[in-house]
Amino acid sequence: MTYTPPTTEQLFVLNHVARIDAMAQHDRFAAATPDMVEAIVTGIGEFAAEVYAPLNRVGDTNNPQWRDGKVIMPPGFKEAYKAFVEAGWGSIDGPSEYGGQDLPFTLATVVIEALGSANMGFSLCSILTPGAIHALMAYGSEEQRQTWLPRLVTGEWNGTMNLTEPAAGSDVGALRSTAEKITEGPNAGLYRIRGQKIFITFGEHDLTDNIVHLVLARTPGAPDGTRGISLFLVPKYRLDAGGRPTISNGVHCASIEHKLGIHGSPTAVMVYGEDEDCLGEIVGEEMGGMRAMFVMMNNARLMIGCQGVQIGERATQQAQRFAAERVQSALAGSPDRTPVTIDRHPDVRRMLWRMRAQTEAARALVYYAAAQTDFGKLGDEAAAMRAEVLIPLAKAHATDIGCEVASLGIQVHGGMGFIEETGAAQHYRDARIAPIYEGTNGIQAADLVGRKLGMAGGDLVRGLIDDIAAAAADFPELQQLVEACRAVTDWMVGANTADRLAGSYPYLTMLATATCGWLMAVQHQAARAALDAGEGDRAFLDAKIASTRFYLEQIVPAATGLAASALAGDAVLEPLPAIA
């Protein structure tokens, strides 16, 4: 289960899709020079391969243990996380005034990709902390920033996101956790937090000496639904006069879940204020919780999309190595009956190229979305709005790709793929959560046809389609998909809510595939130009030409065929008959 960092591929996408060089033209990101970018991408790849990857199987087979409210991580995890913090990998895009490096979020995305490809379950500890940082930067007070951000930025403390409750599930507005303001005494101005949250990633562990929970709760008299929700910062330990986490804060881990995959990540049931006072600081205004939380959620959703890339990369590498070594059967139609390695058989080659092309497409989509976020920070409002449209595409489509590629990886291994010892099954088990958490992919599709398509009367989505169309002239399959997306978009804008939702998932797949096709076409042209100029690594560029052509000619046409499903409307979805 060796992991080889795809450094050349990552740099190629950063340069030609994310346009990292254009970011560096601005003072804010001037430090992102080509040498700095290459050093970061190379360095994190080596760190991930040497430190995180050897623990991937350890975490899968030697799971975190819950003991009397505490979680003990598997052997080696604490030392590896300490090395991550000390090397500064968690601070890449952190604000410089609180100890961060103020580099582009796009580079931080590469860091997360490398760590997650090496060890997806373990890397989850670092996924939510940046979202907590962004939420505090956007809505926190200066005192909160000074108190909490320096150690969150370095990763010395990690952050969590607490939304889900047992009776609420994805319906956040149905939560029952409460927050009562304290008006007298030494804790005046703080809130007493009471309630239970489930599915809290790294809600309890022994990697850090404090955990900063961001918790959604309802104040007394607040209206029902999401409008009445507020956001609170609730540390595992309160700080003493010296700023040290020494005072118990009534935060208790009741249990951790036994899951299909990501065994190296403890998923906690958290209880607040059950046996002792649990104090929280409000972040932003009362009943402004969802606005603040969405800052965190958008970051998390893009990072979950990145997990699709992570699993796709790891599964592809493993399948390719296995197929290059496994000898079975002579090549069909060949007079030579000598058995050959299975990577020479046509259907195995098809699977391997599909795995590679889909993974590269997902990486391009995630990097592009991250880059648009960065350009938005630089004042490009159009880029910021483009990022809004891209988030549901990246979260849903990239994680669908991760599941598909992991499944194909098992298929390439044949019967050995179904055997745990090969590791191929772990990738599939790990990948399966990604389409579910941080808003199921169905919720992402609903967001696309509801909130995102509704922005500017559909013109934000149409603008994306126009940009794809402008680059599709040399690729007839992409032209056909673009026109199908345009027709479905026009229909969606005028359709009723039920009809839009009925076709939302195939529509998301069409639009995401078209966007990926555009980004693959950009890479195809860049690789062709480099080859014509005699520049770059010829073997890599030849492979890039092959993978982009495969995507455009084999994967894009299938998405065009989804138009009928997207346009079918709600009438085709009659309720299933009851089972007696």
Side-chain angles (χ1 to χ4, degrees):
M1 293 179 65
T2 303
Y3 166 63
T4 301
T7 306
T8 303
E9 160 73 7
Q10 290 168 326
L11 289 169
F12 189 85
V13 181
L14 283 173
N15 289 326
H16 298 291
V17 172
R19 297 190 300 121
I20 194 84
D21 57 335
M23 293 180 203
Q25 300 304 309
H26 297 259
D27 290 342
R28 176 170 178 173
F29 295 143
T33 62
D35 287 346
M36 175 64 78
V37 170
E38 184 170 356
I40 288 172
V41 175
T42 302
I44 190 56
E46 293 172 351
F47 178 88
E50 295 169 7
V51 180
Y52 270 42
L55 299 174
N56 190 45
R57 192 66 175 164
V58 174
D60 189 53
T61 57
N62 190 346
N63 306 164
Q65 299 296 309
W66 180 90
R67 297 174 191 165
D68 298 325
K70 305 297 182 184
V71 173
I72 294 88
M73 293 299 291
F77 275 50
K78 194 166 186 176
E79 294 78 7
Y81 188 77
K82 181 181 178 182
F84 163 82
V85 173
E86 291 178 347
W89 291 119
S91 65
I92 293 291
D93 70 327
S96 57
E97 61 267 41
Y98 304 106
Q101 301 179 51
D102 240 345
L103 287 162
F105 170 59
T106 309
L107 281 178
T109 302
V110 179
V111 170
I112 290 296
E113 182 204 327
L115 296 175
S117 297
N119 192 328
M120 178 177 159
F122 189 13
S123 72
L124 277 160
C125 187
S126 304
I127 279 186
L128 297 178
T129 304
I133 293 168
H134 294 162
L136 289 174
M137 287 296 293
Y139 292 99
S141 67
E142 184 54 35
E143 182 180 359
Q144 288 172 332
R145 295 173 189 157
Q146 293 287 349
T147 301
W148 303 104
L149 285 184
R151 290 178 179 175
L152 285 171
V153 165
T154 62
E156 185 179 347
W157 297 341
N158 75 293
T160 76
M161 182 165 58
N162 287 238
L163 290 80
T164 308
E165 297 188 5
S170 296
D171 184 5
V172 178
L175 66 80
R176 298 177 180 176
S177 294
T178 61
E180 183 179 355
K181 191 170 186 178
I182 302 170
T183 57
E184 298 178 348
N187 296 319
L190 299 177
Y191 290 74
R192 287 190 182 90
I193 309 298
R194 292 187 178 90
Q196 183 183 101
K197 300 288 184 176
I198 60 173
F199 301 150
I200 308 306
T201 299
F202 274 89
E204 166 59 22
H205 57 82
D206 61 357
L207 301 179
T208 65
D209 62 6
N210 207 3
I211 301 171
V212 180
H213 301 284
L214 290 188
V215 181
L216 289 180
R218 199 182 308 278
T219 53
D224 293 337
T226 57
R227 289 190 306 114
I229 293 175
S230 302
L231 180 65
F232 299 89
L233 186 154
V234 184
K236 177 180 178 179
Y237 294 107
R238 300 174 216 163
L239 308 184
D240 61 23
R244 297 178 297 271
T246 63
I247 305 168
S248 177
N249 192 33
V251 177
H252 177 69
C253 175
S255 65
I256 56 175
E257 305 293 353
H258 301 279
K259 309 185 296 285
L260 174 69
I262 56 167
H263 292 155
S265 168
T267 302
V269 175
M270 301 300 299
V271 178
Y272 297 92
E274 184 177 66
D275 299 321
E276 59 181 321
D277 276 352
C278 176
L279 304 184
E281 306 173 16
I282 193 164
V283 178
E285 300 176 348
E286 280 197 22
M287 295 182 287
M290 290 308 294
R291 288 193 301 274
M293 184 58 79
F294 261 111
V295 173
M296 196 172 185
M297 287 176 66
N298 274 341
N299 180 283
R301 285 172 173 175
L302 187 54
M303 290 298 94
I304 299 307
C306 186
Q307 289 187 328
V309 181
Q310 297 162 17
I311 287 295
E313 180 63 40
R314 192 68 184 270
T316 298
Q317 287 191 18
Q318 183 165 336
Q320 193 167 336
R321 286 192 180 96
F322 179 86
E325 297 171 358
R326 177 74 167 100
V327 176
Q328 181 175 299
S329 304
L331 197 61
S334 172
D336 184 353
R337 306 315 298 160
T338 304
V340 298
T341 55
I342 63 172
D343 61 349
R344 294 185 61 191
H345 294 300
D347 191 56
V348 175
R349 289 207 313 272
R350 174 193 64 81
M351 289 189 286
L352 291 172
W353 275 112
R354 186 175 182 89
M355 293 172 75
R356 178 164 181 157
Q358 286 279 51
T359 300
E360 290 183 7
R363 177 180 288 112
L365 178 59
V366 169
Y367 283 24
Y368 178 61
Q372 293 304 292
T373 300
D374 279 324
F375 283 117
K377 294 176 185 175
L378 297 173
D380 186 339
E381 183 63 25
M385 298 308 290
R386 173 65 56 85
E388 287 283 323
V389 174
L390 292 169
I391 292 295
L393 305 184
K395 193 282 178 182
H397 192 60
T399 57
D400 281 347
I401 284 174
C403 288
E404 180 198 358
V405 172
S407 180
L408 284 171
I410 292 175
Q411 194 73 16
V412 169
H413 282 74
M416 292 304 297
F418 208 66
I419 304 301
E420 286 288 350
E421 284 76 6
T422 66
Q426 181 188 342
H427 303 321
Y428 189 61
R429 289 187 286 100
D430 286 351
R432 192 58 191 86
I433 185 59
I436 298 172
Y437 55 15
E438 300 308 336
T440 66
N441 286 1
I443 289 174
Q444 305 306 313
D447 179 48
L448 174 64
V449 302
R451 199 165 70 90
K452 304 304 168 58
L453 191 59
M455 292 177 170
D459 286 347
L460 285 182
V461 173
R462 290 190 180 103
L464 173 61
I465 292 172
D466 288 343
D467 286 348
I468 299 169
D474 296 331
F475 306 98
E477 296 88 357
L478 185 56
Q479 289 178 357
Q480 292 173 8
L481 178 55
V482 167
E483 292 313 310
C485 286
R486 197 186 303 279
V488 175
T489 299
D490 290 342
W491 179 85
M492 285 274 180
V493 169
N496 64 43
T497 300
D499 285 340
R500 286 202 308 274
L501 290 174
S504 62
Y505 209 99
Y507 175 59
L508 182 147
T509 303
M510 291 175 66
L511 189 59
T513 304
T515 305
C516 287
W518 168 36
L519 302 176
M520 293 294 269
V522 168
Q523 293 179 79
H524 182 280
Q525 292 162 341
R528 175 56 61 197
L531 284 170
D532 291 345
E535 301 171 349
D537 180 339
R538 185 173 187 87
F540 168 79
L541 294 170
D542 283 341
K544 177 60 72 173
I545 293 288
S547 63
T548 53
R549 291 302 313 182
F550 186 97
Y551 190 88
L552 290 161
E553 295 174 359
Q554 298 283 324
I555 296 173
V556 163
T560 306
L562 294 173
S565 296
L567 296 168
D570 183 54
V572 301
L573 302 179
E574 291 293 334
L576 289 170
I579 298 175

